[in-house]
Amino acid sequence: MAASTPDILRGTLDLLILKALSWGPSHGYAVARWIQQATDDALAVGEGSLYPALHRLEEREWITSTWGPSENNRQAKYYALTRRGRARLKIEADNWRRYATAIFAALEAPALQE
Amino acid sequence: MPRWSRFRRLFGPEAKADVDAELAFHIEMRTRELINDGVPPERARALALRRFGDYDNPRQQCVAINERRGRRMARTEYLTELRQDAGYALRMLRRSPGFTTVALTTLALGIGANSAIFSVVQGVLLAPLPYRDAARLYRVTTLYPDGTPYPLSPPDFMSVREQSQTLDQVEAFSGGVYTMLDAGDPREVRGTSVSDRLFDLLGLQLALGRGLRPGDNQPGHDGVAVLDYGFWQRQFGGDPQVLGRRIRIAGTPVEIVGVLTRGTRMFDDADVYTPLLYNDTFSAATAKGRRGEFLTVLGRAKPGVALATVDRDLRRIGKQLQSAFVDTNDTLTFNATPLTEVVVGDVRTPLLLLLGAVGFVLLVACANVANLLLARASARQTELAVRSALGAGRVRLLRQLLTESVVLGTAGAVLGLAIAFAATRALVAAQPAGIPRLENVTVNGTVVIFTFVIAIATSLGFGILPAFQFTGAGMQSALRETTRGSTSMSGQRLRSALVVVEMALAVVLLIGAGLLVRSFIQLTRVDPGFRVEQALSFRVVLQGDRYKEDEPTRIRVSELEQRLRALPGVTHVGTTSVLPFSGRGAMVGFEVEGAPPPPANVNAEIALASTTPDYLRAIGATLRQGRLFTAIDDTRAPRVAIVNEAAGRRWFHGDNPVGRRVITNGVAREVVGVVGDVLQRSAAEPAAPMVFVPFAQRTIRSTKMVVRTNADPSTLTAAIRGEIRAVDPELAVADITPMAQLVNRSLRGPRFYTSLLTVFAGVGLVLATIGVFGVMSYAVTQRGREISIRLALGALPRDVVRMIVSRAFVLAAIGLIVGLAAAAALGRFIQGQLFGVPLIDPVTFSVVPLVLAASAGVASFVPAQRATKFDPANALREG
């Protein structure tokens, strides 16, 4: 596992975290699990690299955190989307869709013409 | 709960624990899930860690992010609180307009006075002189054995220039008053003749043309002149075509070759700069002209050379000249004075005195505002106790209270700056006599910084005591006590102590002002030795080819006198080389025939005036013995002289000088009369020994005339100009002034310092009085119950008034004793400014206590009156 996540993955990771939190507050472990299940573990990022991303998002005030009891009554740090985070999610998702569409279109495009 | 406390956990070392807990939770959850999925517990944790991947790196990243965030939050929190405090402070100040008005006025006065005087000190004393390497410039003087400093002669100047090892560059100049002829009326101008590289030494900048430079000083090449900027504006309307124009100065044609930039000026104001003509006396090798001292010599010390070293070097040169030129330089030497000292030395002490005085005013203001803040203690104690009970810490409350003080102080500084701005402009416009470089005085960046620094210091000064008082031990009990509306006894004592300090400071200021006022009165009472009223004086300089010889000059002067004497109302017209209150004039060698020669270390010189026969009558001098000059004392008659009383005392030791023979500048004369002393410089300086000689027997060109009338002399101005123009249209008449004004001019400096100090003392007294008033009013309010009970029990209103007023008198008396002691101790700072008044002046020291008693009486009478109106029934009901 690489110590640092490539840039493209980091941007993707931010988007996935924001998406994971869009249904309501949850702790880091739940976010990690959702990403693994939703992407079929295709990103294959180490679970550890999720946390710096979470903290960075919190620093940017796209998400906030509070400590609260978890489902098994342990104290867990819960993250929730802020108003700005929700707006950000929409922008990032749109960007991603445009980007993916463009790449798909390129992949389906006919051969290079002389 | 405040918003920020949610982030409390992020601060400091907790950031690490926070991250560790979060990561541990993740590992634990994963482990549990793996176990649920059937992984053996002993392998589950290892597997969970493997799936987590690298542990340390993400952990460190998280910690770093959190710490960064924590710091930012702390900063934001601090600024938010500051804004809250400032906003709160502004609301508090708005809510009590009475308090705010009094406090702000007090502070604005105190701070404004300080800024204004500091502007003057900064511009005049602190700012460097506008010359290149000004800190290394020295003035060189000839030193006579008795310590009298003199200018240098041209050969001595050249010797110093050639032999000095400590001075890089030595230059000289000489000032004079000349008649300038151009288009229009002849004009008197102040001219300065300069040595070859003086412009270079001082770094004088030119707006037009070129400066004076080596080569200009050689005979035949010296017909050039550079104009002062102001003079160029006034006289030539700032015309750039002035370059190349030929004018006549003192009868000699010169070409204008340059104009100085605005603000560039020599420290002696001059209109026109011309080259010093280097004749054969400008040589280090000659003995000729060594005692013709008329050059002001300036030198720049080499970098890093101290004054003492320069002095030693100059003494060495002096010694060398003593042996090389025994006849002329025996016993003479040279010394150096920093140029700054030469320019501002005279005003340093009085200006610093004023700065000290305004410092005292500010302290009084400070004590006053502290007192006002303490008086609000009772009103605010409830509020503060409530805030404290709701969780505000002591530090937080202290900070809030100090923020209030600083807001108050800053507002005071802004108002103070406005006052200083107005005051300095008024000051510069008023042109108080004798303050050099006044045009430099502005409220500049340095002054603004100074103002805010003293404002903040003041705020902390007046804020810190009340803040600690508020938030101190008494606070817990405040909630309980507030219903009774009282503060602790220590608060009352503190306020009394502050009032005592205010009183003491006011006393010091009053004593200082009193001494200066008394000195000023003494100055105005000094007998000037002549009749001041109903006389005009003016200057006429007879220059040019026509007046090269003595004879035509004498004829012209007597012609002028005759024509002026014929004007209506004129009783006497006289001519002299030097007027009263205008300096001592020429100094010449003097000895009394038959008297033993004076010891070598005594300067055997005397001030000399050449006067026409009617001059001493025209000024109204008093004849003590013998006779005044008459028309018979002419060129062919025996040489005669009149001495003043000071000369009689100094040179004749009480014997009658009339009939004795004296030698002035090598000429033997018979003393024919003695006149009363006529003051020469100012009322503060006693007359120096002086000898008068007939104008006919010593004819000079730079004359001053006096016209005495039996009516208002000022109506004659135009007629005088007309008569002189009729005699010779090329004669410039300057400075037609009533003689009373000559005396008045010499009083302008003392009047200026005296009035300013009096104003400051007045402000100090008013503030101190307000302080007493505040404390007494508060005491009356506080003791209302007690007073009511006394009244109910039969005390007379008179007794109550006496009780209150006597308390004020006790405070005033303590303040008075402290203040008088301080004033006596500080006396030496003002001693040099006093004239004819002892430091412990009985009048001042008895008037000031009366003034203080009156102010204490006034300040306590109103509260005492209020106390007598208390209704005894209230006290009984409440009790």
Side-chain angles (χ1 to χ4, degrees), chain A residues 66-78:
Chain A
T66 39
W67 284 82
S70 72
E71 51 275 25
N72 55 5
N73 258 336
R74 288 255 289 119
Q75 282 293 309
K77 196 173 181 184
Y78 280 86

Side-chain angles (χ1 to χ4, degrees), chain B residues 177-257:
Chain B
V177 174
Y178 310 106
T179 307
M180 187 189 87
L181 288 176
D182 190 45
D185 277 348
R187 230 193 105 95
E188 183 189 281
V189 295
R190 291 161 301 177
T192 293
S193 303
V194 305
S195 65
D196 43 320
R197 293 177 63 226
L198 185 85
F199 274 41
D200 169 65
L201 176 80
L202 298 179
L204 301 186
Q205 303 289 317
L206 288 128
L208 283 181
R210 66 169 180 91
L212 298 177
R213 59 195 182 197
D216 291 339
N217 305 78
Q218 299 313 316
H221 296 88
D222 61 325
V224 290
V226 168
L227 302 182
D228 168 68
Y229 183 89
F231 181 70
W232 176 52
Q233 293 289 333
R234 283 193 306 275
Q235 186 71 15
F236 298 97
D239 177 14
Q241 302 299 315
V242 80
L243 290 188
R245 185 145 157 190
R246 295 190 148 269
I247 53 175
R248 284 203 295 147
I249 290 181
T252 316
V254 295
E255 183 188 337
I256 298 171
V257 295

